[in-house]
């Protein structure tokens, strides 16, 4: 156990966590932000962010997150790398367990975000990194002049299909319904791209391949039950995300999907513990809403600390 007592510990370094850190460190609260891997969260895997205000023409995800970090450094935000595995409540003091170390804090803001969902089909794990990927931005360039497919019909699948079409010889969008859920602007771009071909009302049931990677998938038509083989070298999965809150399941109220339940001011079921960004149950998951949440959580955490003083 370290002797330092922080005012605020923030768990997670995406847009919500960095915004919370900016606000609390600017308010001169002693703050530590703990990040498991690299700062920036899911935005780091986005090539171009087009809907974050203030950047006409768009901005690369990693560049935007670099600016968030630099802004936090301006106010002296302290950061550390480590995996948080638990949180203990001792009333006015909380203990955040980071790699078996206890970090003491008066308030905690959880901004752990979400991670891509898996298809949960046979051989998916075996081929992950060898043809199966959950991040087109990260892996798309490895698939030059070969056919690939992306599963899903949301904004992520649409954006990633457009990105993959810069490299691949053909991009199939495999979707279980007969229309995309993605925004109209993205749909227009998809349908205007000759390399992209939707395969409607279908799901992937099997992955085929060998030592060199994926060679084909089996598709099942969800209406007829018919199966067909589709030759491809890369299978990208973009079927939504799951919240990263498993380690809190015993101590905080979560919804059935595992999102942290909060009030409109980001308070969780544990006094002094707040949640912001994609890990929180809410209607819209965007960078702009994560930033809004981070600011609210920071200000409400500050008020909570004032009430204890
Ligand atoms: P999403 O909107 O939840 O879409 C997931 C897609 O995957 C849906 O089309 C869904 O089908 C399909 N799906 C889910 N489970 C499946 C399964 N087991 N098998 C096959 N298909 C399955 O997820 P997302 O695209 O990752 O987006 C997440 C959030 O981030 C959204 O709020 C989105 O607007 C936001 N986002 C925004 C931007 C942007 O604004 N530029 C970019 C990326 C993401 P159904 O349609 O049948 O349900």
């Amino acid at each position: 156990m370290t002797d330092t007592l922080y005012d605020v510990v923030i768990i997670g370094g995406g847009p919500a966590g960095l915004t919370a850190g900016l606000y609390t460190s600017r308010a001169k609260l002693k703050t530590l932000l703990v990040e498991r891997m690299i700062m920036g969260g899911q935005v780091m895997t986005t090539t171009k962010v087009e809907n974050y205000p203030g950047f006409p023409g768009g901005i690369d995800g990693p560049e935007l997150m670099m600016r968030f970090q630099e802004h936090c450094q301006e106010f002296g935000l302290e950061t550390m790398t480590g995996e948080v595995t638990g949180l203990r409540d001792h009333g006015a003091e909380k203990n955040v367990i980071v790699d078996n170390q206890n970090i003491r804090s008066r308030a905690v803001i959880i901004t752990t975000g979400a991670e891509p969902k898996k298809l949960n089909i046979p051989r998916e794990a075996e081929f992950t990194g060898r043809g199966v990927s959950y991040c087109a931005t990260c892996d798309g360039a490895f698939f030059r002049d070969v056919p690939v497919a992306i599963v899903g019909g949301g904004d992520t699948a649409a954006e990633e299909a457009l990105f993959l079409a810069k490299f691949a010889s053909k991009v199939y969008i495999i979707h279980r319904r007969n229309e995309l859920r993605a925004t109209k602007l993205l749909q227009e771009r998809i349908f205007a791209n000759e390399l992209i071909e939707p395969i409607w009302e279908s799901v992937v049931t099997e992955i085929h391949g060998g030592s060199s990677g994926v060679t084909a998938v089996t598709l099942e038509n969800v209406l007829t039950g018919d199966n067909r083989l589709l030759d491809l070298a890369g299978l990208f999965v973009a079927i939504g995300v799951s919240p990263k809150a498993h380690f809190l399941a015993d101590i905080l109220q979560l919804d059935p999907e595992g999102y942290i339940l909060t009030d409109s001011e980001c308070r969780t079921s544990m006094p002094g513990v707040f949640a912001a960004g994609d890990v929180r149950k809410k209607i819209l998951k965007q960078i702009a809403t994560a930033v809004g949440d981070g600011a609210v959580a920071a200000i409400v955490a500050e008020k909570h600390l004032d009430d204890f003083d």
Side-chain angles (χ1 to χ4, degrees), residues 253-255 259-263 267-269 275 279-281:
Q253 277 181 16
L254 310 181
D255 83 343
Y259 287 93
I260 300 175
L261 292 170
T262 68
D263 67 9
R267 292 183 192 87
T268 70
S269 53
V279 74
R280 176 173 97 87
K281 166 113 182 134

Side-chain angles (χ1 to χ4, degrees), residues 194-256:
E194 288 176 354
L195 288 181
I196 302 178
E197 181 185 327
I199 301 178
W200 302 120
E201 291 158 341
S202 299
V203 292
V204 178
T205 53
E206 275 182 74
I207 303 169
H208 309 277
S211 54
S212 56
V214 171
T215 54
V217 294
T218 300
L219 296 182
E220 182 185 307
N221 183 297
V222 295
L223 299 182
T224 63
D226 289 348
N227 288 322
R228 65 179 264 213
L229 208 61
L230 180 69
D231 290 334
L232 43 77
L235 180 69
F236 291 83
V237 181
I239 59 168
V241 293
S242 304
K244 290 189 270 182
H246 333 276
F247 66 103
L248 300 162
D250 294 338
I251 47 172
L252 293 185
Q253 277 181 16
L254 310 181
D255 83 343

Side-chain angles (χ1 to χ4, degrees), residues 119-133:
L119 289 170
N120 291 323
I121 57 173
R123 305 189 75 184
E124 185 177 4
E126 177 190 337
F127 283 114
T128 296
R130 295 197 305 120
V132 173
S133 168

Side-chain angles (χ1 to χ4, degrees), residues 51 119 151-157 159 175-177 181 203 238-241 284-286:
N51 56 358
L119 289 170
V151 185
D155 285 334
T156 305
E159 279 188 351
H175 187 34
R176 62 186 180 184
R177 292 188 298 126
R181 165 193 296 279
V203 292
I239 59 168
V241 293
L284 181 65
K285 298 184 187 75
Q286 299 270 293

Side-chain angles (χ1 to χ4, degrees), residues 18 39-40 44 60-73:
L18 288 167
M39 292 285 184
M44 295 298 279
D60 286 351
E63 191 192 337
L64 181 63
M65 288 301 96
M66 187 55 70
R67 291 187 186 208
F68 272 50
Q69 279 186 71
E70 282 170 12
H71 203 167
C72 289
Q73 281 159 8

